[in-house]
Amino acid sequence: QVIKCKAAVMWEANKPFSIEEVEVAPPKAHEVRIKIMATGICRSDDHVVTGGLVMPFPIILGHEAAGVVESVGQGVTSIKPGDKVIPLFAPQCGECSSCLSTKGNLCSKNDIDSAVGLMPDGTSRFTCKGKTIHHFVGTSTFTEYTVVHESAVAKIDSAAPLEKVCLIGCGFSTGYGAALQTAKVEPGSTCAIFGLGGVGLSVLMGCKAAGASRIIAVDINSDKFAKAKELGATDCVNPKDFKKPVHEVLIEMTGQGVDYSFEVIGRTETMVSALACCQYNYGVSVIVGVPPAAQKITFDPMLLFTGRTWKGSVFGGWKSKDSVPKLVADYMKKKFVLDPLITHTLPFTKINEGFDLLRTGK
């Protein structure tokens, strides 16, 4: 059956979300229809609104969520109605070169770089007012019901609190994994984190879990420092408090630069700063924030020639379908906390207020 439900539709860029009645088609072969119970708001959603991440409109955004399976299409065997699940914006088909490699996690079936805004078969499951509505990175969670491909959904512990573990669908896993999986932070090392939103704080938790001895939190909003310290930051730096560039401040603080740095904002200037502040010969810098569209980076190649490593990390380097159920299990065993990452809980109809809170740094 077609389901009629509420969704937050983004008709065009730089406009508020519009709560509309949409029709959600039944799942086709190898697809799963999910009732969304909780969804997080992520800066990557806002990048689409502002044009920093280019996607086709109209679109239903949202990619960090948890829900319950309503129905499954033909050929779906691993998941059944009633299962608790997390949709995966980085799918895992198990067949492409990245899925088959132990080094990779960004499945070629992802819709992050191609930005087609449709299901793998090239069609949409959403219509509104007679118009086709695009999907967002294969998930589209700002709706009461969504349809995802079987490769883009993970079954999780039926006892997991969905309003918490939805964060494992993006923000927490992305940050935590950037430290543990991508950078492979070692005990006793020194780390710098640029940007202390939900993902930056999750990087911080990852650095702490890895046994880093010094964790320097960098943000231009000093209101973020109390929570950073609570989660394990040893130092907090506001670049606005200094006349000199922040990478010079960090090199002075540490003597020779940090072992690991993380850019968790998505700005080209801070990406170069994060690279420059890590140790000149063996420092590793990881880009975690989504880079802005149509912007290029200019930097002195000597920064890399001396031996630094510059890496990117999508979804924290985790193979999504394999790792998400394990991360949920770890949360249930209290191996990490999620509560400090949740500042507000709002009803779905107040989604625009939620984005205002995000944009004002609250």
Side-chain angles (χ1 to χ4, degrees), residues 197-229:
V199 185
L201 292 172
S202 301
V203 173
L204 208 162
M205 289 194 240
C207 292
K208 179 125 170 79
S213 60
R214 194 166 181 197
I215 304 172
I216 305 168
V218 183
D219 202 298
I220 55 172
N221 178 355
S222 298
D223 294 346
K224 306 265 186 187
F225 293 162
K227 192 163 272 185
K229 288 208 157 130

Side-chain angles (χ1 to χ4, degrees), residues 10 50 67 86 162 193 277 295 333:
M10 179 58 54
T50 59
I86 287 178
L162 299 183
I193 300 159
C277 82
Q295 279 194 30
K333 291 179 198 143

Side-chain angles (χ1 to χ4, degrees), residues 284-299:
V284 175
S285 188
V286 183
I287 293 175
V288 189
V290 176
Q295 279 194 30
K296 300 285 179 264
I297 248 175
T298 309
F299 69 102

Side-chain angles (χ1 to χ4, degrees), residues 107-355:
C107 174
S108 67
K109 301 271 196 303
N110 81 80
D111 191 33
I112 300 163
D113 39 16
S114 51
V116 179
L118 297 166
M119 294 295 285
D121 72 351
T123 61
S124 168
R125 301 293 163 270
F126 298 120
T127 45
C128 179
K129 298 177 179 169
K131 290 196 175 77
T132 297
I133 308 294
H134 290 89
H135 292 251
F136 177 51
V137 293
T139 49
S140 287
T141 63
F142 293 165
T143 168
E144 292 176 319
Y145 288 88
T146 191
V147 178
V148 303
H149 191 265
E150 188 179 16
S151 62
V153 61
K155 180 181 169 179
I156 59 163
D157 182 345
S158 61
L162 299 183
E163 74 286 359
K164 314 270 193 219
V165 298
C166 61
L167 299 183
I168 292 172
C170 177
F172 174 77
S173 306
T174 296
Y176 195 64
L180 294 175
Q181 296 270 117
T182 308
K184 297 187 166 52
V185 171
E186 295 125 342
S189 54
T190 306
C191 303
I193 300 159
F194 288 68
L196 301 174
V199 185
L201 292 172
S202 301
V203 173
L204 208 162
M205 289 194 240
C207 292
K208 179 125 170 79
S213 60
R214 194 166 181 197
I215 304 172
I216 305 168
V218 183
D219 202 298
I220 55 172
N221 178 355
S222 298
D223 294 346
K224 306 265 186 187
F225 293 162
K227 192 163 272 185
K229 288 208 157 130
E230 174 195 322
L231 289 171
T234 52
D235 308 77
C236 293
V237 172
N238 187 330
K240 288 181 165 172
D241 296 343
F242 299 89
K243 292 272 192 289
K244 62 180 100 165
V246 69
H247 72 272
E248 290 179 17
V249 175
L250 295 171
I251 290 168
E252 274 178 24
M253 284 172 72
T254 54
Q256 53 168 11
V258 298
D259 298 309
Y260 300 96
S261 67
F262 301 86
E263 200 280 358
V264 206
I265 303 163
R267 292 182 71 240
T268 52
E269 300 89 335
T270 36
M271 289 171 187
V272 178
S273 292
L275 179 67
C277 82
C278 69
Q279 208 275 353
Y280 74 99
N281 178 215
Y282 53 79
V284 175
S285 188
V286 183
I287 293 175
V288 189
V290 176
Q295 279 194 30
K296 300 285 179 264
I297 248 175
T298 309
F299 69 102
D300 178 352
M302 187 56 86
L303 284 171
L304 289 180
F305 174 74
T306 56
R308 288 179 182 87
T309 304
W310 213 357
K311 305 182 86 163
S313 180
V314 175
F315 196 59
W318 304 107
K319 286 192 186 282
S320 59
K321 225 171 152 66
D322 293 344
S323 304
V324 163
K326 291 179 187 155
L327 286 164
V328 171
D330 282 350
Y331 170 73
M332 299 299 279
K333 291 179 198 143
K334 301 193 165 39
K335 287 194 181 170
F336 55 82
V337 292
L338 292 172
D339 278 18
L341 303 177
I342 302 169
T343 55
H344 299 76
T345 305
L346 299 168
F348 182 41
T349 48
K350 293 198 172 171
I351 188 164
N352 285 307
E353 289 175 40
F355 273 84

